[in-house]
Amino acid sequence: MAREFTSVGVVGLGTMGAGIVEVFARNGVDVVAVEISETALQRGRATLTGSTDRAVAKGKLAEADRDALLSRVDFQVGLDALHSVDLVIEAVPEHLDLKQRIFAELDRVCKPEAILATNTSSLSVTEISVATTRPNQVIGIHFFNPAPVMKLVEVVRTVVTSADVVADVEALCKRLGKVDVTISDRAGFIANALLFGYLNHAVGMFESHYASREDIDAAMKLGCGLPMGPLALMDLIGLDTAYEILDTMYRRGGRDRRHAPVPLIKQMVTAGLLGRKSGRGFYTYERPGSPVVVPDEQTPVATESALADGARGIMKVGVVGSGTMATGIIEVFAKAGYEVVSVTRGAEKSAKVFESVKTSLNKGVVRGKLSEADRDAALGRINWSATLEHLADVDLVVEAVVEELSVKKALFASLDEICKPGVVLATTTSSLPVIDVAMATQRPADVVGLHFFNPAPIMPLVEVVQTIRTSAETTATAKAVCAALGKTGVVCGDRSGFIVNALLFPYLNDAVKMLEASYSTADDIDHAMKLGCGYPMGPFELLDVVGLDVSLAIQRELYLELREPGFAPAPLLEHLVTAGYLGRKTGRGFRDHTRR
């Protein structure tokens, strides 16, 4: 039977420490809240009262409950105040020597049966534990920020942590209303090990001027449904904190180059650009600590008219292809008021595309998102054809045929001969080099990537991929078209994966490697990313939806182009694909979907 914790100590009352105090006090546990000085103590008290007052103002906490919560907290200066508590959680800055000193002192002060826990997010719990004479009673309890809101807790056991201690802490997490995942002591644990490689990669994209900060963040929010873009999240975490976590993970985690902090991070930390807490990081904020972003010298300047940016006028659009993506793109353009010429490989294909578009538009009517008149008008704007010659007078061609370079190059060579001068030729490829397609024509300056996301009528993002030969006028036209469609166009260079896939799939691959190493289960890893990072789906849920074969193909492309050892596809992913376990479409991937 799990022990009953009646009193808990919390050391360090910064944002995280004060949040942990609130979690315990909300759940009826008496808390001794300790700081190093009276000034720091008052700062921590203000953080706690500010949080609870906001909860009252939002109607999430009754005034009487707030008062009862605060009455359970005993604010004290110095570790000696923790002599009688059942559990201590340390939440001081991420410096190993500091934590070791504190644990050595806690070992002296606390009663022999007390559990000593660290909230570290990256340091070795084992190295902290050996500063005490009771390493079997030391454990990691990693809360996520903001602790009162986030449901996940990573329970980190060392090789000597007592099984009873682990069980007691797991029971305590349930009492607090948290979801715990229990793991061994490894750099970054689950969430940070997967999150910070992704964040570091995003900073590298920005540092190399591959894409703007706004476009990187918009791409991951709109393309993946993430609650925040990576650069905005770095500002929230704090660049100094992020640097320490990455540096620790690099040194402790096998010196994976992808965890070596991008030089720009250290430069920004040195310059005092720490993110929200300093008022400036990747973005500029209204004041230190404020979440309100204000314009600065990097903020894009909106022009009155797309034509002022050099964009060409687009009235008539050709769409080549008959698959799901082509069908969705036809619908998007027709609903936006463009005259559309749909070109397929025959009348039978055209009939199928017509039925698909009509069915989708009818669903919009049934759901009240489209009037019958607008549906009829959209269908009336589409001309159906089986010959490329009917694209002779269009202003824009969007190619959405099979992902084979030879097929696309042959198509673009034909379009080059048929289309009038000045036409923008766009490919929807998600993985092939756009420049290879462009060079099949005599007009590479007019060729651009327009990577729509599936389903095109719903997904708000389009990646505008410019090659080294794409003209500024063509890029401006592509952006203007995206805006006219009600989409967000993000501009990036012609590199494997563009923005979204280049950031998303290495993270998914890392999750597979974590599972492959038996570090954690697929369920716990999915829980960690959904509950700890606010992701809409866990990595294994997403892999099964995308298709393991598709994921493997994308990861191979990234590895072949970038030659980054950490991008090599996980052997487990390759084995599952070879075995025919491709995800939901075959009934089995990382999970068995036939029993659901």
Side-chain angles (χ1 to χ4, degrees):
M1 186 172 175
R3 79 165 84 178
E4 182 72 20
F5 294 94
T6 57
S7 62
V8 170
V10 177
V11 180
L13 302 180
T15 303
M16 182 56 76
I20 294 170
V21 169
E22 183 176 339
V23 168
F24 281 104
R26 270 179 182 260
N27 287 277
V29 180
D30 290 334
V31 184
V32 180
V34 172
E35 259 295 359
I36 194 171
S37 68
E38 188 63 40
T39 301
L41 194 71
Q42 294 309 316
R43 205 161 42 233
R45 188 197 299 268
T47 300
L48 177 61
T49 55
S51 175
T52 53
D53 286 348
R54 285 192 297 275
V56 170
K58 292 176 181 176
K60 295 182 177 180
L61 189 68
E63 288 190 21
D65 290 338
R66 174 199 58 193
D67 295 343
L69 183 162
L70 294 174
S71 72
R72 296 186 190 105
V73 183
D74 179 16
F75 290 94
Q76 295 287 340
V77 174
L79 298 178
D80 287 338
L82 301 171
H83 59 86
S84 63
V85 299
D86 303 315
L87 165 72
V88 179
I89 299 181
E90 160 275 311
V92 302
E94 290 283 270
H95 300 296
L96 181 61
D97 56 345
L98 172 62
K99 291 180 187 282
Q100 287 177 327
R101 287 199 305 273
I102 288 173
F103 270 73
E105 186 66 10
L106 290 173
D107 188 36
R108 182 189 66 79
V109 167
C110 295
K111 58 188 182 183
E113 65 271 24
I115 293 174
L116 307 182
T118 173
N119 184 60
T120 183
S121 60
S122 61
L123 296 174
S124 168
V125 179
T126 306
E127 289 185 47
I128 293 169
S129 74
V130 296
T132 75
T133 61
R134 55 176 108 178
N136 61 315
Q137 289 171 236
V138 176
I139 195 167
I141 306 180
H142 179 216
F143 289 83
F144 287 73
N145 192 27
V149 176
M150 301 299 282
K151 299 289 286 184
L152 181 73
V153 175
E154 290 177 320
V155 176
V156 187
R157 59 170 179 252
T158 73
V159 291
V160 297
T161 304
S162 162
D164 288 343
V165 168
V166 174
D168 290 343
V169 170
E170 288 174 337
L172 176 62
C173 289
K174 288 181 175 62
R175 176 183 169 188
L176 298 175
K178 301 296 186 182
V179 175
D180 67 278
V181 294
T182 300
I183 47 181
S184 56
D185 185 20
R186 196 179 91 170
F189 313 138
I190 295 176
N192 282 355
L194 295 179
L195 177 66
F196 276 85
Y198 151 71
L199 295 178
N200 201 39
H201 190 183
V203 176
M205 275 189 177
F206 176 69
E207 183 186 51
S208 65
H209 304 288
Y210 177 69
S212 71
R213 61 188 183 183
E214 288 85 1
D215 282 356
I216 292 170
D217 280 354
M220 298 313 291
K221 286 172 64 181
L222 301 178
C224 298
L226 302 185
M228 295 182 78
L231 302 181
L233 181 55
M234 286 284 283
D235 276 359
L236 176 62
I237 293 168
L239 272 70
D240 51 344
T241 301
Y243 179 84
E244 291 294 338
I245 291 172
L246 282 165
D247 188 54
T248 300
M249 286 174 56
Y250 175 71
R251 287 185 284 105
R252 287 188 60 213
R255 299 192 176 270
D256 185 335
R257 283 201 321 233
R258 292 179 313 110
H259 290 145
V262 170
L264 179 62
I265 301 175
K266 183 59 179 289
Q267 293 164 16
M268 292 176 73
V269 170
T270 303
L273 307 177
L274 307 182
R276 284 191 189 181
K277 59 187 170 188
S278 68
R280 186 163 183 183
F282 289 102
Y283 295 91
T284 300
Y285 299 87
E286 197 172 44
R287 62 182 179 278
S290 170
V292 180
V293 176
V294 296
D296 58 22
E297 65 276 5
Q298 294 185 53
T299 304
V301 178
T303 55
E304 292 294 322
S305 164
L307 295 177
D309 288 336
R312 303 169 195 167
I314 303 294
M315 303 295 290
K316 191 172 183 179
V317 177
V319 179
V320 184
S322 57
T324 303
M325 186 57 74
T327 302
I329 292 170
I330 290 166
E331 180 184 338
V332 166
F333 276 102
K335 283 198 298 190
Y338 289 94
E339 185 180 349
V340 181
V341 179
S342 166
V343 178
T344 66
R345 287 181 293 170
E348 188 178 338
K349 293 274 189 186
S350 289
K352 286 184 178 179
V353 175
F354 169 76
E355 286 302 323
S356 296
V357 173
K358 185 178 178 181
T359 299
S360 181
L361 290 171
N362 283 337
K363 286 180 182 176
V365 173
V366 170
R367 292 170 182 164
K369 296 182 178 181
L370 195 68
S371 70
E372 290 187 10
D374 287 341
R375 173 201 62 195
D376 296 341
L379 285 170
R381 294 187 192 103
I382 307 170
N383 301 293
W384 306 96
S385 172
T387 175
L388 293 174
E389 277 69 22
H390 287 144
L391 300 175
D393 64 340
V394 301
D395 305 308
L396 164 67
V397 179
V398 180
E399 163 275 310
V401 300
V402 65
E403 280 284 273
E404 291 182 17
L405 186 58
S406 60
V407 175
K408 291 183 187 288
K409 288 174 73 172
L411 172 60
F412 271 71
S414 297
L415 293 173
D416 190 30
E417 294 178 3
I418 293 166
C419 295
K420 65 187 181 184
V423 172
V424 173
L425 303 178
T427 172
T428 60
T429 183
S430 61
S431 59
L432 299 173
V434 178
I435 189 64
D436 282 2
V437 177
M439 295 310 291
T441 75
Q442 299 300 311
R443 52 173 103 182
D446 294 331
V447 178
V448 69
L450 279 180
H451 179 216
F452 288 80
F453 286 72
N454 195 28
I458 295 172
M459 294 296 283
L461 181 71
V462 179
E463 288 177 319
V464 177
V465 186
Q466 54 186 3
T467 76
I468 55 175
R469 294 290 295 271
T470 305
S471 70
E473 185 183 15
T474 299
T475 301
T477 304
K479 286 182 64 179
V481 167
C482 291
L485 296 175
K487 306 287 188 185
T488 297
V490 297
V491 179
C492 61
D494 182 23
R495 199 169 75 186
S496 185
F498 311 140
I499 297 174
V500 173
N501 285 354
L503 292 178
L504 174 65
F505 282 89
Y507 146 74
L508 297 176
N509 196 50
D510 285 346
V512 178
K513 291 177 180 177
M514 187 177 280
L515 177 67
E516 188 175 51
S518 300
Y519 179 64
S520 189
T521 66
D523 286 345
D524 278 356
I525 294 169
D526 278 354
H527 281 317
M529 298 315 292
K530 289 196 291 184
L531 301 178
C533 299
Y535 282 27
M537 299 179 79
F540 298 105
E541 287 179 276
L542 184 55
L543 281 160
D544 276 1
V545 169
V546 171
L548 274 61
D549 51 342
V550 174
S551 303
L552 177 59
I554 292 171
Q555 193 61 37
R556 281 174 173 164
E557 287 290 336
L558 290 169
Y559 178 55
L560 284 171
E561 179 166 321
L562 301 176
R563 304 290 179 175
E564 170 58 61
F567 284 179
L572 176 59
L573 182 60
E574 295 185 317
H575 294 168
L576 287 169
V577 172
T578 302
Y581 295 164
L582 308 183
R584 285 190 183 178
K585 59 189 173 187
T586 60
R588 183 165 179 182
F590 285 99
R591 294 185 174 89
D592 187 346
H593 299 277
T594 59
R595 300 178 183 175
R596 300 191 176 196

